[in-house]
Amino acid sequence: LYHGEKTVGITIHKINSKIDEGEIILQRQVQINPSESLDALIKRTKRLGAHYMVEAIKMIRNGMVRYKQNRPEEGSYFSFPKREDVRKFRGMGYKLL
């Protein structure tokens, strides 16, 4: 939200020795609702992620996975905000809760 994204991605991937760099099993894009708070978006994507995890497990079990190379340079990752980030976020009219 802070950077004006319109969608957020959910990725289910194999685990390897580096964070978020295993081969991709499944990826989905989720629209961000314009009036959605950060908290609501996080909760919604966690629920969706659980459903996608079940889908990925079924794909693995049925031998239907087509693993995709995970290229970190193609993705984005944002850490939790610092106090100053929160002030700016609220100043832009967004809500945390």
Side-chain angles (χ1 to χ4, degrees):
L1 296 173
Y2 185 84
H3 298 283
E5 296 90 347
K6 303 296 182 209
T7 62
V8 63
I10 298 175
T11 302
I12 308 294
H13 57 84
K14 290 172 72 173
I15 300 297
N16 66 6
S17 62
K18 296 183 181 179
I19 295 176
D20 293 339
E21 289 192 9
E23 289 179 298
I24 295 170
I25 298 169
L26 175 134
Q27 279 186 310
R28 298 289 186 265
Q29 287 290 317
V30 177
Q31 290 294 125
I32 298 173
N33 299 325
S35 62
E36 194 164 34
S37 70
L38 179 59
D39 182 62
L41 176 61
I42 290 170
K43 287 177 180 175
R44 184 166 64 92
T45 56
K46 296 301 181 197
R47 283 191 306 275
L48 288 169
H51 290 286
Y52 296 145
M53 180 62 80
V54 170
E55 184 179 339
I57 291 168
K58 288 178 182 177
M59 290 169 64
I60 293 166
R61 184 176 28 194
N62 296 328
M64 302 300 291
V65 177
R66 294 179 190 249
Y67 292 99
K68 178 181 169 187
Q69 185 177 357
N70 189 348
R71 295 193 161 107
E73 68 275 5
E74 292 178 2
S76 58
Y77 181 82
F78 301 109
S79 62
F80 283 97
K82 295 179 177 56
R83 286 181 192 225
E84 181 59 28
D85 299 324
V86 170
R87 279 194 276 279
K88 288 180 184 177
F89 185 76
R90 287 183 173 149
M92 292 186 289
Y94 294 116
K95 299 180 288 186
L96 293 174
L97 300 174

